[in-house]
Short mmCIF file of all heavy atoms in Angstrom, two decimals:
data_model
loop_
_atom_site.label_atom_id
_atom_site.label_comp_id
_atom_site.label_asym_id
_atom_site.label_seq_id
_atom_site.Cartn_x
_atom_site.Cartn_y
_atom_site.Cartn_z
N MET A 1 0.84 -1.18 0.00
CA MET A 1 0.00 0.00 0.00
C MET A 1 0.88 1.24 0.00
O MET A 1 1.90 1.30 0.66
CB MET A 1 -0.93 -0.01 1.21
CG MET A 1 -1.92 1.13 1.20
SD MET A 1 -3.11 1.08 2.55
CE MET A 1 -4.19 -0.20 1.96
N ASN A 2 0.47 2.24 -0.72
CA ASN A 2 1.19 3.50 -0.82
C ASN A 2 1.14 4.24 0.51
O ASN A 2 0.10 4.31 1.16
CB ASN A 2 0.54 4.34 -1.93
CG ASN A 2 1.35 5.55 -2.29
OD1 ASN A 2 2.04 6.11 -1.46
ND2 ASN A 2 1.26 5.96 -3.53
N ASP A 3 2.28 4.80 0.94
CA ASP A 3 2.32 5.56 2.20
C ASP A 3 1.65 6.92 2.09
O ASP A 3 1.29 7.52 3.09
CB ASP A 3 3.77 5.75 2.64
CG ASP A 3 4.36 4.46 3.18
OD1 ASP A 3 3.59 3.52 3.46
OD2 ASP A 3 5.59 4.38 3.30
N THR A 4 1.52 7.44 0.87
CA THR A 4 0.92 8.75 0.67
C THR A 4 -0.56 8.67 1.00
O THR A 4 -1.27 7.79 0.51
CB THR A 4 1.11 9.22 -0.78
OG1 THR A 4 2.51 9.21 -1.08
CG2 THR A 4 0.57 10.60 -0.99
N LYS A 5 -1.03 9.60 1.79
CA LYS A 5 -2.42 9.59 2.23
C LYS A 5 -3.38 9.79 1.05
O LYS A 5 -4.32 9.02 0.88
CB LYS A 5 -2.64 10.68 3.27
CG LYS A 5 -4.02 10.70 3.84
CD LYS A 5 -4.12 11.74 4.93
CE LYS A 5 -5.52 11.81 5.49
NZ LYS A 5 -5.67 12.82 6.52
N ALA A 6 -3.16 10.80 0.23
CA ALA A 6 -4.07 11.11 -0.88
C ALA A 6 -3.29 11.54 -2.11
O ALA A 6 -2.38 12.35 -2.01
CB ALA A 6 -5.04 12.21 -0.48
N ILE A 7 -3.68 10.98 -3.25
CA ILE A 7 -3.12 11.40 -4.52
C ILE A 7 -4.29 11.82 -5.41
O ILE A 7 -5.21 11.02 -5.66
CB ILE A 7 -2.33 10.27 -5.20
CG1 ILE A 7 -1.13 9.89 -4.34
CG2 ILE A 7 -1.90 10.67 -6.61
CD1 ILE A 7 -0.39 8.67 -4.83
N ILE A 8 -4.28 13.06 -5.85
CA ILE A 8 -5.32 13.52 -6.77
C ILE A 8 -4.98 12.97 -8.15
O ILE A 8 -4.00 13.37 -8.76
CB ILE A 8 -5.43 15.05 -6.78
CG1 ILE A 8 -5.85 15.55 -5.40
CG2 ILE A 8 -6.44 15.51 -7.84
CD1 ILE A 8 -5.87 17.06 -5.25
N VAL A 9 -5.80 12.03 -8.60
CA VAL A 9 -5.59 11.40 -9.90
C VAL A 9 -6.07 12.34 -11.01
O VAL A 9 -5.43 12.46 -12.05
CB VAL A 9 -6.35 10.05 -9.97
CG1 VAL A 9 -6.25 9.43 -11.35
CG2 VAL A 9 -5.83 9.10 -8.90
N ARG A 10 -7.21 13.00 -10.76
CA ARG A 10 -7.75 13.95 -11.73
C ARG A 10 -8.56 15.01 -11.03
O ARG A 10 -9.41 14.71 -10.20
CB ARG A 10 -8.62 13.21 -12.74
CG ARG A 10 -9.09 14.08 -13.88
CD ARG A 10 -9.59 13.26 -15.06
NE ARG A 10 -10.33 12.09 -14.67
CZ ARG A 10 -11.66 12.03 -14.64
NH1 ARG A 10 -12.38 13.05 -14.99
NH2 ARG A 10 -12.26 10.91 -14.27
N HIS A 11 -8.27 16.26 -11.35
CA HIS A 11 -9.02 17.40 -10.82
C HIS A 11 -10.21 17.63 -11.74
O HIS A 11 -10.03 17.80 -12.95
CB HIS A 11 -8.13 18.64 -10.75
CG HIS A 11 -8.87 19.88 -10.39
ND1 HIS A 11 -9.28 20.13 -9.10
CD2 HIS A 11 -9.27 20.92 -11.14
CE1 HIS A 11 -9.90 21.30 -9.08
NE2 HIS A 11 -9.92 21.79 -10.30
N ILE A 12 -11.42 17.63 -11.18
CA ILE A 12 -12.62 17.84 -11.99
C ILE A 12 -13.07 19.29 -11.93
O ILE A 12 -13.38 19.88 -12.96
CB ILE A 12 -13.75 16.89 -11.56
CG1 ILE A 12 -13.30 15.43 -11.79
CG2 ILE A 12 -15.03 17.18 -12.32
CD1 ILE A 12 -14.23 14.40 -11.24
N GLY A 13 -13.11 19.87 -10.73
CA GLY A 13 -13.54 21.26 -10.65
C GLY A 13 -13.64 21.76 -9.23
O GLY A 13 -13.51 21.02 -8.26
N VAL A 14 -13.87 23.08 -9.13
CA VAL A 14 -13.98 23.78 -7.85
C VAL A 14 -15.44 24.11 -7.60
O VAL A 14 -16.12 24.68 -8.46
CB VAL A 14 -13.14 25.07 -7.86
CG1 VAL A 14 -13.34 25.86 -6.58
CG2 VAL A 14 -11.67 24.75 -8.07
N LEU A 15 -15.94 23.74 -6.42
CA LEU A 15 -17.31 24.07 -6.04
C LEU A 15 -17.39 25.46 -5.42
O LEU A 15 -18.35 26.18 -5.63
CB LEU A 15 -17.84 23.02 -5.06
CG LEU A 15 -17.86 21.59 -5.58
CD1 LEU A 15 -18.26 20.63 -4.48
CD2 LEU A 15 -18.78 21.46 -6.76
N SER A 16 -16.37 25.82 -4.64
CA SER A 16 -16.31 27.16 -4.04
C SER A 16 -14.90 27.41 -3.53
O SER A 16 -14.11 26.48 -3.39
CB SER A 16 -17.33 27.31 -2.90
OG SER A 16 -17.00 26.46 -1.82
N GLU A 17 -14.62 28.70 -3.27
CA GLU A 17 -13.32 29.07 -2.71
C GLU A 17 -13.53 30.02 -1.55
O GLU A 17 -14.30 30.99 -1.67
CB GLU A 17 -12.44 29.74 -3.77
CG GLU A 17 -11.05 30.04 -3.26
CD GLU A 17 -10.07 30.43 -4.36
OE1 GLU A 17 -10.38 30.21 -5.52
OE2 GLU A 17 -9.00 30.95 -4.00
N GLY A 18 -12.88 29.73 -0.43
CA GLY A 18 -12.99 30.57 0.74
C GLY A 18 -12.03 31.74 0.69
O GLY A 18 -11.12 31.78 -0.14
N THR A 19 -12.21 32.69 1.59
CA THR A 19 -11.35 33.87 1.62
C THR A 19 -9.91 33.53 1.98
O THR A 19 -8.99 34.26 1.65
CB THR A 19 -11.89 34.92 2.63
OG1 THR A 19 -12.02 34.29 3.91
CG2 THR A 19 -13.24 35.45 2.18
N SER A 20 -9.72 32.38 2.64
CA SER A 20 -8.37 31.96 3.03
C SER A 20 -7.63 31.27 1.88
O SER A 20 -6.46 30.93 2.02
CB SER A 20 -8.44 31.01 4.23
OG SER A 20 -9.13 29.82 3.85
N GLY A 21 -8.33 31.04 0.76
CA GLY A 21 -7.71 30.38 -0.38
C GLY A 21 -7.99 28.90 -0.46
O GLY A 21 -7.72 28.27 -1.48
N TRP A 22 -8.55 28.32 0.60
CA TRP A 22 -8.92 26.90 0.55
C TRP A 22 -10.11 26.75 -0.39
O TRP A 22 -11.01 27.60 -0.42
CB TRP A 22 -9.28 26.39 1.94
CG TRP A 22 -8.07 26.12 2.78
CD1 TRP A 22 -7.17 27.04 3.23
CD2 TRP A 22 -7.62 24.86 3.26
NE1 TRP A 22 -6.19 26.43 3.96
CE2 TRP A 22 -6.44 25.08 3.99
CE3 TRP A 22 -8.10 23.57 3.15
CZ2 TRP A 22 -5.74 24.05 4.60
CZ3 TRP A 22 -7.41 22.54 3.75
CH2 TRP A 22 -6.23 22.79 4.48
N ARG A 23 -10.10 25.67 -1.18
CA ARG A 23 -11.15 25.47 -2.17
C ARG A 23 -11.85 24.13 -1.94
O ARG A 23 -11.20 23.12 -1.69
CB ARG A 23 -10.56 25.49 -3.58
CG ARG A 23 -9.83 26.78 -3.87
CD ARG A 23 -9.31 26.91 -5.25
NE ARG A 23 -8.63 25.71 -5.73
CZ ARG A 23 -8.14 25.59 -6.96
NH1 ARG A 23 -8.25 26.57 -7.82
NH2 ARG A 23 -7.53 24.48 -7.32
N LEU A 24 -13.18 24.15 -2.04
CA LEU A 24 -13.97 22.93 -1.99
C LEU A 24 -13.96 22.37 -3.41
O LEU A 24 -14.44 23.01 -4.34
CB LEU A 24 -15.39 23.23 -1.52
CG LEU A 24 -16.32 22.03 -1.34
CD1 LEU A 24 -15.77 21.06 -0.29
CD2 LEU A 24 -17.71 22.49 -0.97
N GLU A 25 -13.37 21.18 -3.58
CA GLU A 25 -13.13 20.64 -4.90
C GLU A 25 -13.75 19.25 -5.09
O GLU A 25 -13.86 18.48 -4.13
CB GLU A 25 -11.63 20.49 -5.16
CG GLU A 25 -10.88 21.79 -5.12
CD GLU A 25 -9.40 21.62 -5.44
OE1 GLU A 25 -8.95 20.50 -5.69
OE2 GLU A 25 -8.71 22.64 -5.44
N LEU A 26 -14.10 18.97 -6.34
CA LEU A 26 -14.47 17.64 -6.76
C LEU A 26 -13.29 17.07 -7.54
O LEU A 26 -12.85 17.67 -8.53
CB LEU A 26 -15.72 17.67 -7.65
CG LEU A 26 -16.17 16.33 -8.24
CD1 LEU A 26 -16.57 15.35 -7.13
CD2 LEU A 26 -17.32 16.54 -9.21
N ASN A 27 -12.75 15.97 -7.06
CA ASN A 27 -11.59 15.33 -7.68
C ASN A 27 -11.79 13.82 -7.71
O ASN A 27 -12.64 13.28 -7.02
CB ASN A 27 -10.30 15.61 -6.87
CG ASN A 27 -9.95 17.06 -6.82
OD1 ASN A 27 -9.76 17.70 -7.83
ND2 ASN A 27 -9.88 17.61 -5.61
N VAL A 28 -10.96 13.17 -8.49
CA VAL A 28 -10.82 11.72 -8.39
C VAL A 28 -9.55 11.52 -7.57
O VAL A 28 -8.48 11.99 -7.96
CB VAL A 28 -10.70 11.04 -9.76
CG1 VAL A 28 -10.46 9.56 -9.61
CG2 VAL A 28 -11.96 11.30 -10.59
N VAL A 29 -9.68 10.87 -6.40
CA VAL A 29 -8.57 10.76 -5.45
C VAL A 29 -8.32 9.29 -5.11
O VAL A 29 -9.25 8.51 -4.93
CB VAL A 29 -8.87 11.55 -4.16
CG1 VAL A 29 -7.77 11.38 -3.13
CG2 VAL A 29 -9.07 13.03 -4.48
N ARG A 30 -7.05 8.96 -5.01
CA ARG A 30 -6.63 7.64 -4.55
C ARG A 30 -6.17 7.81 -3.10
O ARG A 30 -5.17 8.48 -2.83
CB ARG A 30 -5.48 7.11 -5.41
CG ARG A 30 -4.98 5.75 -5.00
CD ARG A 30 -3.77 5.32 -5.83
NE ARG A 30 -4.01 5.41 -7.25
CZ ARG A 30 -4.46 4.40 -8.01
NH1 ARG A 30 -4.72 3.24 -7.47
NH2 ARG A 30 -4.62 4.57 -9.30
N TRP A 31 -6.93 7.24 -2.15
CA TRP A 31 -6.61 7.34 -0.72
C TRP A 31 -5.85 6.10 -0.29
O TRP A 31 -6.31 4.98 -0.51
CB TRP A 31 -7.88 7.49 0.10
CG TRP A 31 -8.52 8.83 -0.03
CD1 TRP A 31 -9.52 9.19 -0.87
CD2 TRP A 31 -8.17 10.01 0.68
NE1 TRP A 31 -9.83 10.51 -0.72
CE2 TRP A 31 -9.00 11.05 0.23
CE3 TRP A 31 -7.22 10.29 1.67
CZ2 TRP A 31 -8.93 12.34 0.73
CZ3 TRP A 31 -7.15 11.58 2.16
CH2 TRP A 31 -8.00 12.58 1.70
N PHE A 32 -4.71 6.32 0.34
CA PHE A 32 -3.90 5.24 0.92
C PHE A 32 -3.64 4.10 -0.07
O PHE A 32 -3.63 2.93 0.29
CB PHE A 32 -4.56 4.68 2.19
CG PHE A 32 -4.73 5.71 3.28
CD1 PHE A 32 -5.96 6.28 3.51
CD2 PHE A 32 -3.66 6.11 4.05
CE1 PHE A 32 -6.13 7.23 4.50
CE2 PHE A 32 -3.81 7.05 5.05
CZ PHE A 32 -5.04 7.61 5.27
N GLY A 33 -3.45 4.44 -1.34
CA GLY A 33 -3.12 3.44 -2.35
C GLY A 33 -4.31 2.63 -2.84
O GLY A 33 -4.14 1.70 -3.62
N GLY A 34 -5.51 2.97 -2.41
CA GLY A 34 -6.71 2.23 -2.84
C GLY A 34 -7.15 2.63 -4.23
O GLY A 34 -6.46 3.36 -4.95
N GLU A 35 -8.32 2.17 -4.62
CA GLU A 35 -8.89 2.49 -5.92
C GLU A 35 -9.29 3.97 -5.95
O GLU A 35 -9.79 4.49 -4.95
CB GLU A 35 -10.11 1.62 -6.20
CG GLU A 35 -9.77 0.18 -6.47
CD GLU A 35 -8.91 0.01 -7.70
OE1 GLU A 35 -9.20 0.61 -8.75
OE2 GLU A 35 -7.90 -0.73 -7.61
N PRO A 36 -9.11 4.65 -7.08
CA PRO A 36 -9.54 6.05 -7.19
C PRO A 36 -11.05 6.18 -7.03
O PRO A 36 -11.81 5.32 -7.50
CB PRO A 36 -9.11 6.43 -8.61
CG PRO A 36 -8.06 5.46 -8.98
CD PRO A 36 -8.42 4.18 -8.27
N LYS A 37 -11.47 7.25 -6.33
CA LYS A 37 -12.89 7.50 -6.08
C LYS A 37 -13.19 8.98 -6.28
O LYS A 37 -12.32 9.82 -6.07
CB LYS A 37 -13.26 7.13 -4.64
CG LYS A 37 -13.10 5.67 -4.31
CD LYS A 37 -13.47 5.42 -2.87
CE LYS A 37 -13.28 3.94 -2.54
NZ LYS A 37 -13.65 3.65 -1.16
N LEU A 38 -14.46 9.29 -6.64
CA LEU A 38 -14.90 10.68 -6.64
C LEU A 38 -14.82 11.19 -5.21
O LEU A 38 -15.21 10.48 -4.28
CB LEU A 38 -16.33 10.81 -7.15
CG LEU A 38 -16.51 10.78 -8.66
CD1 LEU A 38 -17.99 10.76 -9.01
CD2 LEU A 38 -15.84 11.97 -9.31
N ASP A 39 -14.35 12.40 -5.03
CA ASP A 39 -14.06 12.89 -3.69
C ASP A 39 -14.36 14.38 -3.61
O ASP A 39 -14.02 15.14 -4.52
CB ASP A 39 -12.56 12.65 -3.41
CG ASP A 39 -12.15 13.09 -2.04
OD1 ASP A 39 -12.25 12.30 -1.11
OD2 ASP A 39 -11.72 14.26 -1.92
N ILE A 40 -15.00 14.79 -2.52
CA ILE A 40 -15.24 16.21 -2.24
C ILE A 40 -14.54 16.54 -0.93
O ILE A 40 -14.88 15.99 0.11
CB ILE A 40 -16.75 16.52 -2.11
CG1 ILE A 40 -17.47 16.21 -3.42
CG2 ILE A 40 -16.94 17.99 -1.73
CD1 ILE A 40 -18.98 16.33 -3.31
N HIS A 41 -13.56 17.42 -1.01
CA HIS A 41 -12.83 17.89 0.17
C HIS A 41 -12.44 19.35 -0.04
O HIS A 41 -12.36 19.82 -1.17
CB HIS A 41 -11.52 17.10 0.36
CG HIS A 41 -11.65 15.92 1.24
ND1 HIS A 41 -12.03 14.68 0.79
CD2 HIS A 41 -11.45 15.79 2.57
CE1 HIS A 41 -12.03 13.84 1.80
NE2 HIS A 41 -11.69 14.48 2.88
N LYS A 42 -12.16 20.03 1.06
CA LYS A 42 -11.54 21.35 1.00
C LYS A 42 -10.04 21.13 0.92
O LYS A 42 -9.48 20.38 1.73
CB LYS A 42 -11.89 22.19 2.22
CG LYS A 42 -13.33 22.64 2.23
CD LYS A 42 -13.62 23.51 3.44
CE LYS A 42 -15.08 23.92 3.43
NZ LYS A 42 -15.42 24.71 4.62
N TRP A 43 -9.39 21.76 -0.06
CA TRP A 43 -7.95 21.60 -0.28
C TRP A 43 -7.25 22.95 -0.18
O TRP A 43 -7.80 23.98 -0.59
CB TRP A 43 -7.69 21.03 -1.67
CG TRP A 43 -8.05 19.60 -1.81
CD1 TRP A 43 -9.26 19.09 -2.18
CD2 TRP A 43 -7.20 18.48 -1.55
NE1 TRP A 43 -9.22 17.73 -2.18
CE2 TRP A 43 -7.97 17.33 -1.80
CE3 TRP A 43 -5.88 18.35 -1.14
CZ2 TRP A 43 -7.45 16.04 -1.65
CZ3 TRP A 43 -5.37 17.07 -1.00
CH2 TRP A 43 -6.14 15.94 -1.25
N SER A 44 -6.03 22.92 0.35
CA SER A 44 -5.18 24.12 0.33
C SER A 44 -4.79 24.40 -1.12
O SER A 44 -4.92 23.53 -1.99
CB SER A 44 -3.93 23.91 1.19
OG SER A 44 -3.16 22.83 0.68
N GLN A 45 -4.30 25.60 -1.38
CA GLN A 45 -3.96 26.00 -2.75
C GLN A 45 -2.92 25.07 -3.38
O GLN A 45 -2.97 24.81 -4.57
CB GLN A 45 -3.46 27.44 -2.78
CG GLN A 45 -4.56 28.43 -2.48
CD GLN A 45 -4.05 29.85 -2.44
OE1 GLN A 45 -2.86 30.10 -2.38
NE2 GLN A 45 -4.96 30.79 -2.48
N ASP A 46 -1.99 24.56 -2.59
CA ASP A 46 -0.93 23.71 -3.13
C ASP A 46 -1.29 22.22 -3.13
O ASP A 46 -0.49 21.37 -3.51
CB ASP A 46 0.37 23.92 -2.36
CG ASP A 46 0.24 23.62 -0.87
OD1 ASP A 46 -0.82 23.12 -0.43
OD2 ASP A 46 1.21 23.91 -0.13
N HIS A 47 -2.51 21.89 -2.70
CA HIS A 47 -2.99 20.51 -2.60
C HIS A 47 -2.15 19.64 -1.66
O HIS A 47 -2.16 18.42 -1.76
CB HIS A 47 -3.10 19.84 -3.98
CG HIS A 47 -4.23 20.37 -4.78
ND1 HIS A 47 -4.04 20.95 -6.01
CD2 HIS A 47 -5.55 20.43 -4.53
CE1 HIS A 47 -5.21 21.34 -6.48
NE2 HIS A 47 -6.14 21.04 -5.60
N GLU A 48 -1.44 20.27 -0.75
CA GLU A 48 -0.64 19.52 0.23
C GLU A 48 -1.47 19.12 1.45
O GLU A 48 -1.15 18.17 2.13
CB GLU A 48 0.56 20.35 0.69
CG GLU A 48 1.60 20.57 -0.40
CD GLU A 48 2.30 19.28 -0.80
OE1 GLU A 48 2.60 18.46 0.09
OE2 GLU A 48 2.51 19.09 -2.01
N ARG A 49 -2.55 19.87 1.72
CA ARG A 49 -3.38 19.59 2.89
C ARG A 49 -4.86 19.62 2.48
O ARG A 49 -5.24 20.36 1.58
CB ARG A 49 -3.14 20.63 3.97
CG ARG A 49 -1.72 20.59 4.52
CD ARG A 49 -1.47 21.70 5.49
NE ARG A 49 -1.61 22.97 4.75
CZ ARG A 49 -1.91 24.12 5.31
NH1 ARG A 49 -2.08 24.21 6.59
NH2 ARG A 49 -2.01 25.21 4.60
N CYS A 50 -5.65 18.83 3.19
CA CYS A 50 -7.09 18.88 2.97
C CYS A 50 -7.80 18.75 4.31
O CYS A 50 -7.24 18.29 5.28
CB CYS A 50 -7.55 17.79 2.00
SG CYS A 50 -7.51 16.12 2.67
N SER A 51 -9.04 19.20 4.32
CA SER A 51 -9.88 19.03 5.49
C SER A 51 -11.19 18.41 5.02
O SER A 51 -11.49 18.39 3.84
CB SER A 51 -10.13 20.37 6.19
OG SER A 51 -10.89 21.22 5.35
N THR A 52 -11.96 17.92 5.94
CA THR A 52 -13.20 17.26 5.56
C THR A 52 -14.31 18.26 5.33
O THR A 52 -14.26 19.39 5.80
CB THR A 52 -13.66 16.26 6.64
OG1 THR A 52 -13.84 16.98 7.85
CG2 THR A 52 -12.64 15.18 6.84
N CYS A 53 -15.32 17.81 4.60
CA CYS A 53 -16.50 18.63 4.37
C CYS A 53 -17.68 17.70 4.17
O CYS A 53 -17.61 16.77 3.36
CB CYS A 53 -16.32 19.53 3.16
SG CYS A 53 -17.72 20.62 2.93
N SER A 54 -18.75 17.92 4.90
CA SER A 54 -19.90 17.03 4.78
C SER A 54 -21.17 17.77 4.42
O SER A 54 -22.22 17.16 4.30
CB SER A 54 -20.11 16.26 6.09
OG SER A 54 -20.30 17.17 7.15
N THR A 55 -21.11 19.08 4.24
CA THR A 55 -22.29 19.84 3.87
C THR A 55 -21.98 20.72 2.67
O THR A 55 -20.83 21.09 2.44
CB THR A 55 -22.77 20.74 5.03
OG1 THR A 55 -21.75 21.68 5.34
CG2 THR A 55 -23.11 19.92 6.26
N LEU A 56 -23.03 21.04 1.90
CA LEU A 56 -22.88 21.90 0.73
C LEU A 56 -23.90 23.02 0.79
O LEU A 56 -25.05 22.80 1.20
CB LEU A 56 -23.13 21.11 -0.56
CG LEU A 56 -22.21 19.93 -0.86
CD1 LEU A 56 -22.71 19.21 -2.11
CD2 LEU A 56 -20.79 20.39 -1.04
N THR A 57 -23.51 24.21 0.36
CA THR A 57 -24.47 25.29 0.19
C THR A 57 -25.28 25.01 -1.07
O THR A 57 -24.91 24.14 -1.88
CB THR A 57 -23.76 26.65 0.05
OG1 THR A 57 -23.01 26.64 -1.17
CG2 THR A 57 -22.86 26.95 1.24
N LYS A 58 -26.36 25.75 -1.28
CA LYS A 58 -27.14 25.57 -2.51
C LYS A 58 -26.29 25.85 -3.75
O LYS A 58 -26.36 25.13 -4.74
CB LYS A 58 -28.37 26.47 -2.51
CG LYS A 58 -29.45 26.00 -1.56
CD LYS A 58 -30.66 26.90 -1.63
CE LYS A 58 -31.72 26.45 -0.65
NZ LYS A 58 -32.92 27.27 -0.69
N ALA A 59 -25.47 26.88 -3.68
CA ALA A 59 -24.60 27.23 -4.81
C ALA A 59 -23.58 26.12 -5.08
O ALA A 59 -23.33 25.76 -6.23
CB ALA A 59 -23.88 28.55 -4.56
N GLU A 60 -23.02 25.56 -4.02
CA GLU A 60 -22.06 24.46 -4.17
C GLU A 60 -22.73 23.23 -4.76
O GLU A 60 -22.17 22.54 -5.62
CB GLU A 60 -21.40 24.14 -2.83
CG GLU A 60 -20.47 25.24 -2.35
CD GLU A 60 -20.07 25.10 -0.90
OE1 GLU A 60 -20.73 24.34 -0.14
OE2 GLU A 60 -19.10 25.76 -0.50
N ALA A 61 -23.96 22.95 -4.33
CA ALA A 61 -24.70 21.80 -4.85
C ALA A 61 -24.99 22.00 -6.35
O ALA A 61 -24.88 21.04 -7.13
CB ALA A 61 -25.99 21.60 -4.07
N ARG A 62 -25.35 23.23 -6.75
CA ARG A 62 -25.57 23.50 -8.17
C ARG A 62 -24.28 23.30 -8.96
O ARG A 62 -24.28 22.70 -10.04
CB ARG A 62 -26.08 24.93 -8.37
CG ARG A 62 -27.57 25.09 -8.09
CD ARG A 62 -28.09 26.44 -8.57
NE ARG A 62 -27.55 27.55 -7.81
CZ ARG A 62 -28.04 28.00 -6.66
NH1 ARG A 62 -29.11 27.45 -6.14
NH2 ARG A 62 -27.50 29.02 -6.05
N ASN A 63 -23.16 23.79 -8.43
CA ASN A 63 -21.87 23.60 -9.10
C ASN A 63 -21.52 22.12 -9.19
O ASN A 63 -21.01 21.66 -10.22
CB ASN A 63 -20.76 24.36 -8.38
CG ASN A 63 -20.86 25.85 -8.57
OD1 ASN A 63 -21.49 26.33 -9.52
ND2 ASN A 63 -20.26 26.61 -7.68
N LEU A 64 -21.80 21.36 -8.14
CA LEU A 64 -21.54 19.92 -8.15
C LEU A 64 -22.36 19.25 -9.25
O LEU A 64 -21.85 18.42 -10.01
CB LEU A 64 -21.85 19.31 -6.79
CG LEU A 64 -21.76 17.79 -6.71
CD1 LEU A 64 -20.35 17.30 -7.04
CD2 LEU A 64 -22.18 17.32 -5.32
N ALA A 65 -23.64 19.60 -9.35
CA ALA A 65 -24.49 19.01 -10.37
C ALA A 65 -23.95 19.31 -11.78
O ALA A 65 -23.93 18.43 -12.64
CB ALA A 65 -25.93 19.53 -10.23
N LYS A 66 -23.49 20.54 -12.00
CA LYS A 66 -22.92 20.90 -13.31
C LYS A 66 -21.67 20.08 -13.60
O LYS A 66 -21.49 19.58 -14.71
CB LYS A 66 -22.56 22.40 -13.34
CG LYS A 66 -23.76 23.31 -13.38
CD LYS A 66 -23.30 24.76 -13.33
CE LYS A 66 -24.47 25.71 -13.14
NZ LYS A 66 -24.03 27.10 -12.96
N LEU A 67 -20.80 19.95 -12.61
CA LEU A 67 -19.57 19.19 -12.81
C LEU A 67 -19.86 17.72 -13.07
O LEU A 67 -19.23 17.09 -13.92
CB LEU A 67 -18.64 19.33 -11.60
CG LEU A 67 -18.03 20.71 -11.37
CD1 LEU A 67 -17.33 20.77 -10.03
CD2 LEU A 67 -17.08 21.07 -12.49
N LEU A 68 -20.81 17.16 -12.34
CA LEU A 68 -21.15 15.76 -12.52
C LEU A 68 -21.81 15.51 -13.89
O LEU A 68 -21.58 14.47 -14.50
CB LEU A 68 -22.07 15.27 -11.40
CG LEU A 68 -21.39 15.10 -10.05
CD1 LEU A 68 -22.42 14.79 -8.97
CD2 LEU A 68 -20.32 14.02 -10.10
N LYS A 69 -22.59 16.46 -14.38
CA LYS A 69 -23.18 16.33 -15.71
C LYS A 69 -22.09 16.19 -16.77
O LYS A 69 -22.21 15.41 -17.70
CB LYS A 69 -24.07 17.52 -16.04
CG LYS A 69 -25.50 17.32 -15.76
CD LYS A 69 -26.31 18.48 -16.31
CE LYS A 69 -27.78 18.18 -16.16
NZ LYS A 69 -28.61 19.28 -16.59
N LYS A 70 -21.03 16.98 -16.63
CA LYS A 70 -19.90 16.93 -17.57
C LYS A 70 -19.17 15.60 -17.45
O LYS A 70 -18.66 15.07 -18.42
CB LYS A 70 -18.91 18.06 -17.29
CG LYS A 70 -19.42 19.43 -17.60
CD LYS A 70 -18.34 20.44 -17.26
CE LYS A 70 -18.84 21.85 -17.30
NZ LYS A 70 -17.79 22.80 -16.90
N GLU A 71 -19.11 15.07 -16.23
CA GLU A 71 -18.29 13.89 -15.94
C GLU A 71 -18.97 12.59 -16.37
O GLU A 71 -18.31 11.64 -16.75
CB GLU A 71 -18.00 13.84 -14.43
CG GLU A 71 -16.98 12.84 -14.03
CD GLU A 71 -15.60 13.10 -14.61
OE1 GLU A 71 -15.28 14.25 -14.96
OE2 GLU A 71 -14.85 12.13 -14.73
N VAL A 72 -20.28 12.53 -16.28
CA VAL A 72 -20.99 11.26 -16.51
C VAL A 72 -21.44 11.13 -17.94
O VAL A 72 -21.71 11.91 -18.69
CB VAL A 72 -22.21 11.13 -15.58
CG1 VAL A 72 -22.83 9.77 -15.69
CG2 VAL A 72 -21.82 11.41 -14.16
#
């Protein structure tokens, strides 16, 4: 198993960006060497750190729907 916690395999899009520069993103991510999965997390600008997110604003949900339409 890969020691790296998360590898962004493919960046799909940004749902929102906070004033601190952290962005809520939809990506395909490989966690701990597992299979790549669709993933929504807040990421730092350099993608070195992420935090969890379990809720979406209406605007973020609309952006997610648009991104998923393109993806599927």
Side-chain angles (χ1 to χ4, degrees):
M1 186 175 283
N2 190 330
D3 286 345
T4 304
K5 183 176 179 181
I7 296 173
I8 297 175
V9 175
R10 187 162 39 99
H11 173 75
I12 297 172
V14 175
L15 301 174
S16 66
E17 184 168 346
T19 56
S20 64
W22 283 65
R23 302 184 314 177
L24 183 61
E25 298 183 0
L26 176 63
N27 297 302
V28 176
V29 176
R30 180 184 307 267
W31 287 95
F32 299 103
E35 289 298 314
K37 297 179 181 181
L38 279 174
D39 181 88
I40 298 173
H41 268 88
K42 289 182 181 177
W43 287 90
S44 61
Q45 291 177 346
D46 58 8
H47 288 122
E48 292 293 320
R49 296 174 297 156
C50 72
S51 66
T52 59
C53 184
S54 58
T55 62
L56 300 174
T57 65
K58 286 182 182 181
E60 291 166 344
R62 280 192 293 275
N63 288 339
L64 174 60
K66 289 177 190 175
L67 292 171
L68 287 173
K69 264 188 173 176
K70 291 179 191 177
E71 191 63 24
V72 187

